[in-house]
Amino acid sequence: MNSDPSQVSRFFLLSDGGPFVWALALVGVFGVAIMIERIYYLHSKQIRAQDFLEGIRNNLRSGHYNEALTVCEEAPGPVARIVKAILVRRDRGEAGMRIAAEEAAVAELPALERRAGTVCALAKIAPLVGLAGTVFGLLRAFLNMRSAGHYASADLFAGDIASALAATGFGLVLAVVFQLGHHLIAGRIRAVTTDFEKTGISLINFIVYELNEPDAAAGADEPAAK
């Protein structure tokens, strides 16, 4: 058995793995690019929700309604847009603000969840592609062995078996990577949605029960009359 380290290292090159390994490599590049883009996007949409909400509360306590809206327009992410939707409909009472928050949240979800399903699908597809590579690699090895007859040597079909195993291994590795990536993306989505749900509820309760002006006119920028 040849144990030359250089031969072992060359086995892992894409050129030795066969067409299915190349296909898996393309799937891997595509999937990793999606994961990086999604993680960066979701990270950019997260803000310090508690600090942001406290700033909005301070503006409302001072009667600076327009300033609160300006802060929402300048801040990135769904939390700010949901807070703005609530403030715009402050004159419609608690029920109206809750409906506004729900509508804004529904509008934000598609952008947050975009391509997350693709990563999950790639985690399922990668091992199947690897398994297909294994089946065809073993089939090729057995056909070569049959054509060589009784005097077939291991060297004749060892390369086909190696490429078959490489396809399965590569597919399983990609499946693990994509599963972890999907888990991370799903966690980011849950964090963002939790932020805007908690922020929306807190703001509505603040306006209704602390400011005691659920029917205040939208756009009012004057302190409440004493």
Side-chain angles (χ1 to χ4, degrees):
M1 180 177 179
N2 186 1
S3 60
D4 184 0
S6 63
Q7 295 293 333
V8 175
S9 64
R10 282 199 296 271
F11 168 75
F12 295 99
L13 296 174
L14 289 176
S15 58
D16 297 323
F20 282 92
V21 171
W22 275 102
L24 286 169
L26 293 176
V27 170
V29 171
F30 178 68
V32 169
I34 291 177
M35 289 191 299
I36 293 174
E37 185 274 333
R38 283 289 86 194
I39 292 171
Y40 175 78
Y41 175 84
L42 293 169
H43 179 74
S44 68
K45 297 304 177 183
Q46 277 192 289
I47 61 175
R48 296 181 179 273
Q50 193 58 41
D51 294 341
F52 174 77
L53 179 59
E54 190 57 35
I56 296 296
R57 286 172 174 168
N58 290 335
N59 279 313
L60 294 179
R61 288 190 187 103
S62 302
H64 299 153
Y65 176 73
N66 288 338
E67 282 79 353
L69 285 177
T70 301
V71 171
C72 293
E73 292 172 354
E74 293 177 350
V79 172
R81 287 189 286 270
I82 289 171
V83 168
K84 180 182 177 181
I86 293 171
L87 295 178
V88 168
R89 297 192 186 179
R90 189 179 61 157
D91 61 323
R92 301 187 183 183
E94 181 177 0
M97 288 187 289
R98 291 190 184 279
I99 292 173
E102 291 173 1
E103 291 175 349
V106 169
E108 294 293 336
L109 283 176
L112 296 177
E113 296 176 346
R114 186 180 299 125
R115 288 189 285 275
T118 302
V119 177
C120 183
L122 290 176
K124 299 176 181 178
I125 291 172
L128 296 179
V129 175
L131 180 60
T134 298
V135 171
F136 284 101
L138 292 177
L139 176 61
R140 188 167 57 248
F142 283 121
L143 291 176
N144 288 336
M145 183 170 57
R146 186 178 67 175
S147 65
H150 296 291
Y151 301 100
S153 65
D155 293 336
L156 182 64
F157 54 87
D160 293 328
I161 294 177
S163 63
L165 296 175
T168 297
F170 197 9
L172 292 175
V173 169
L174 288 180
V176 171
V177 172
F178 292 148
Q179 285 284 8
L180 291 175
H182 181 261
H183 178 73
L184 181 59
I185 291 171
R188 287 282 187 179
I189 294 173
R190 285 193 299 270
V192 175
T193 54
T194 299
D195 280 348
F196 64 62
E197 287 173 357
K198 292 173 63 176
T199 301
I201 293 172
S202 297
L203 180 60
I204 292 172
N205 291 336
F206 171 79
I207 293 173
V208 173
Y209 300 109
E210 184 170 335
L211 292 183
N212 294 317
E213 49 178 60
D215 297 322
D221 191 35
E222 299 178 1
K226 297 183 181 179

